[in-house]
Amino acid sequence: KQEVTQIPAALSVPEGENLVLNCSFTDSAIYNLQWFRQDPGKGLTSLLLIQSSQREQTSGRLNASLDKSSGRSTLYIAASQPGDSATYLCAVRPRIVPYSGGYQKVTFGIGTKLQVIP
Amino acid sequence: DAGVIQSPRHEVTEMGQEVTLRCKPISGHDYLFWYRQTMMRGLELLIYFNNNVPIDDSGMPEDRFSAKMPNASFSTLKIQPSEPRDSAVYFCASGPVTGLGSNTDTQYFGPGTRLTVL
């Protein structure tokens, strides 16, 4: 059974700092890994999706890396801003099984709650 | 598109009452997911549908939980009878899930329904 762990559970940094959020998973047979952002009282918004064949994805100030062999992913946020304050979740989808309907259940981490202090 | 729509946004009920949560997925998405989120267990997949057909309901905690998708634009999650331990935020998500490894293989989350069972 896939287990996804995110450390730390909470993080507080001053505005302008670069920071790294960590995600680890136990089963390296993955299809893709995705980082989501969740604001209080709202649903999840996809930030970056990394396919199993890729090593990183970038979007603006965000960079996500994937090391399948070690079961790790990191989300790097450059020049953090107060608007980045949210909970960040990592989600792992296992390899597709033929004739299974094309979808394998995603396992989510508990998330890292980030606070960027002005 | 308005995104995934869920109603109600908040529900407070008493133990033993029936609760019905509603979801309207994004038009054209083949997959619909119901999740439950708690502080202790994080985000858990309850059930998902493909083309209105339930594919995997192994995440449904008990027989008190049931879900239906009578057509492509509507789904319900029902709890009968409700118990205090059912208190959580329930999310509905939809997605195209091509299975082709593209970045469209993601899920779009609704804002959630916060359920409190007294």
Side-chain angles (χ1 to χ4, degrees):
Chain A
K1 179 185 173 186
Q2 180 73 273
E3 293 183 5
V4 179
T5 304
Q6 291 187 248
I7 295 173
L11 182 63
S12 183
V13 301
E15 181 178 2
E17 266 200 15
N18 303 324
L19 59 100
V20 174
L21 306 181
N22 297 294
C23 171
S24 61
F25 47 95
T26 55
D27 187 347
S28 62
I30 68 171
Y31 181 63
N32 63 36
L33 182 145
Q34 196 163 6
W35 284 92
F36 289 87
R37 169 183 172 139
Q38 184 175 23
D39 291 284
K42 297 191 177 180
L44 280 68
T45 301
S46 177
L47 297 173
L48 290 165
L49 185 152
I50 311 176
Q51 301 296 343
S52 62
S53 58
Q54 299 173 326
R55 295 194 66 86
E56 66 177 346
Q57 283 285 336
T58 299
S59 176
R61 294 183 295 109
L62 305 180
N63 176 276
S65 68
L66 173 64
D67 184 343
K68 248 188 351 176
S69 60
S70 66
R72 295 178 188 274
S73 175
T74 62
L75 178 66
Y76 174 81
I77 303 177
S80 58
Q81 303 171 357
D84 295 330
S85 298
T87 297
Y88 291 82
L89 289 89
C90 166
V92 175
R93 186 191 296 180
R95 279 195 198 133
I96 290 179
V97 175
Y99 311 109
S100 65
Y103 178 79
Q104 306 300 305
K105 287 196 289 187
V106 172
T107 302
F108 285 82
I110 295 289
T112 294
K113 186 173 182 179
L114 172 66
Q115 182 182 22
V116 181
I117 304 168
Chain B
D1 200 313
V4 177
I5 299 172
Q6 290 187 248
S7 65
R9 293 295 310 278
H10 302 274
E11 177 82 26
V12 180
T13 189
E14 292 188 346
M15 183 173 63
Q17 297 297 307
E18 177 180 296
V19 174
T20 299
L21 311 181
R22 297 173 177 79
C23 174
K24 176 178 168 49
I26 294 173
S27 177
H29 284 181
D30 296 334
Y31 285 81
L32 183 140
F33 311 85
W34 281 101
Y35 289 90
R36 177 172 68 176
Q37 186 177 42
T38 61
M39 290 289 290
M40 291 300 296
R41 301 171 68 93
L43 203 62
E44 302 172 284
L45 178 66
L46 300 177
I47 184 172
Y48 76 92
F49 296 81
N50 179 20
N51 291 321
N52 313 338
V53 176
I55 302 299
D56 187 340
D57 65 355
S58 60
M60 297 284 260
E62 300 170 32
D63 291 345
R64 298 183 296 107
F65 286 69
S66 62
K68 294 182 180 179
M69 192 166 185
N71 57 63
S73 60
F74 184 66
S75 176
T76 60
L77 177 67
K78 185 176 293 186
I79 308 172
Q80 166 63 16
S82 58
E83 297 182 4
R85 59 192 169 124
D86 301 331
S87 297
V89 181
Y90 291 80
F91 288 102
C92 174
S94 70
V97 189
T98 65
L100 299 177
S102 74
N103 283 333
T104 55
D105 278 359
T106 187
Q107 300 174 43
Y108 297 82
F109 282 75
T113 295
R114 181 173 294 277
L115 172 65
T116 302
V117 183
L118 304 173

